[in-house]
């Protein structure tokens, strides 16, 4: 880790500015991934980034509640393995599955209690997530930032072998913002979903202020 930090500092110093998508200080999303180490002077925290942060869409009224939404992402075969495991566990629940295939034609498939979307537009995805009672997703940093921007929480299942996801899932579950379970522990376990925590409500406002300040530094 020391060697990695050393070389990152050398690389970052070659640039005018380095923007870090997180908040500075104790209340942050990335933990030791960007905090607790000495950063170069040209780094700027710009708050969380999200395509959902400044869009206002009504909550879907046509969806049957309670609704569990699964957000699939990451490499195969782990993506399909997780999908099949969760379908076996949630076959009695009203469940939406987001395949995460933006290059494919938008299609919807209904099979029993499962509604599968291979891709959704930003507005449609936000509506679905806001209408969901529970959300299950990988612990990718982009997905986490987007959920926080909507004051949503989720059960995080890190992609096996991706240590940054494993760290983020553990770190954020300790803060009470999310819950987590490893993929190998799912079978035979009861899925525990977190309770929404309003502590993340202020993230969008603070993020706007940090980004504005960073842009001013860049323009100067």
């Amino acid at each position: 880790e020391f060697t990695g930090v050393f070389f990152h500092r050398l690389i970052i110093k070659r640039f005018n500015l380095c923007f870090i998508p997180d908040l500075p200080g104790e209340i942050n999303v990335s933990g030791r991934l960007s905090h607790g180490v000495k950063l170069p002077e040209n780094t700027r925290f710009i708050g969380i980034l999200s395509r959902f942060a400044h869009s206002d869409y009504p909550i879907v009224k046509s969806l049957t509640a309670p609704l569990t939404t699964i957000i699939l992402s990451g490499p195969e075969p782990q993506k399909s393995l997780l999908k099949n495991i969760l379908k076996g566990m949630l076959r009695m629940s009203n469940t939406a599955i987001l395949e995460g295939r933006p290059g494919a034609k938008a299609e919807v498939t209904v099979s029993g209690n499962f509604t599968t979307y291979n891709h959704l537009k930003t507005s449609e995805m936000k509506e679905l997530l806001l209408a969901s009672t529970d959300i299950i997703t990988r612990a990718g940093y982009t997905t986490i930032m987007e959920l926080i921007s909507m004051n949503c929480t989720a059960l995080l299942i890190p992609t096996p072998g991706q240590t940054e996801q494993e760290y983020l899932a553990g770190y954020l579950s300790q803060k009470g913002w999310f819950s987590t379970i490893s993929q190998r522990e799912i079978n035979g376990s009861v899925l525990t979903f977190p309770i929404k925590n309003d502590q993340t409500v202020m993230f969008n406002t603070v993020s706007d202020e940090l980004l504005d300040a960073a842009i001013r530094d860049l323009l100067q």
Side-chain angles (χ1 to χ4, degrees), residues 50-86:
S50 171
R51 54 183 158 159
F52 303 126
H54 300 291
S55 56
D56 188 17
Y57 302 100
I59 296 178
V60 174
K61 302 298 182 182
S62 59
L63 297 170
T64 304
L67 174 68
T68 299
T69 295
I70 301 171
I71 306 174
L72 296 174
S73 62
E76 295 288 4
Q78 297 298 338
K79 183 177 180 180
S80 294
L81 285 173
L82 179 62
K83 174 183 175 181
N84 293 333
I85 292 171
L86 292 176

Side-chain angles (χ1 to χ4, degrees), residues 55-220:
S55 56
D56 188 17
Y57 302 100
I59 296 178
V60 174
K61 302 298 182 182
S62 59
L63 297 170
T64 304
L67 174 68
T68 299
T69 295
I70 301 171
I71 306 174
L72 296 174
S73 62
E76 295 288 4
Q78 297 298 338
K79 183 177 180 180
S80 294
L81 285 173
L82 179 62
K83 174 183 175 181
N84 293 333
I85 292 171
L86 292 176
K87 287 186 71 173
M89 297 185 68
L90 299 170
R91 57 183 177 273
M92 301 302 293
S93 303
N94 183 36
T95 305
I97 301 175
L98 302 182
E99 291 273 12
R101 293 189 287 158
K105 181 180 179 181
E107 294 180 348
V108 181
T109 304
V110 179
S111 177
N113 294 324
F114 295 94
T115 302
T116 302
Y117 305 86
N118 64 352
H119 178 61
L120 285 176
K121 294 186 294 186
T122 297
S123 59
E124 295 170 339
M125 184 174 178
K126 182 172 183 177
E127 290 175 350
L128 179 61
L129 293 174
L130 289 176
S132 301
T133 307
D134 299 306
I135 299 172
I136 304 173
T137 183
R138 292 297 194 188
Y141 193 59
T142 298
T143 301
I144 289 171
M145 288 192 294
E146 291 182 337
L147 290 173
I148 287 176
S149 76
M150 296 183 289
N151 196 33
C152 291
T153 186
L155 171 63
L156 301 178
I157 305 176
T159 302
Q162 294 197 9
T163 54
E164 80 286 352
Q165 288 198 15
E166 294 169 353
Y167 169 76
L168 283 171
Y171 173 71
L172 295 172
S173 65
Q174 287 179 353
K175 296 176 80 70
W177 297 353
F178 293 82
S179 62
T180 185
I181 187 173
S182 68
Q183 187 166 304
R184 65 178 179 274
E185 295 175 330
I186 296 177
N187 286 323
S189 299
V190 176
L191 300 181
T192 302
F193 295 95
I195 300 173
K196 181 180 291 188
N197 190 325
D198 290 336
Q199 189 173 4
T200 62
V201 172
M202 44 70 87
F203 271 51
N204 289 338
T205 301
V206 176
S207 295
D208 289 344
E209 296 171 352
L210 290 169
L211 182 57
D212 287 345
I215 291 176
R216 286 195 299 270
D217 284 350
L218 179 63
L219 295 176
Q220 292 174 359

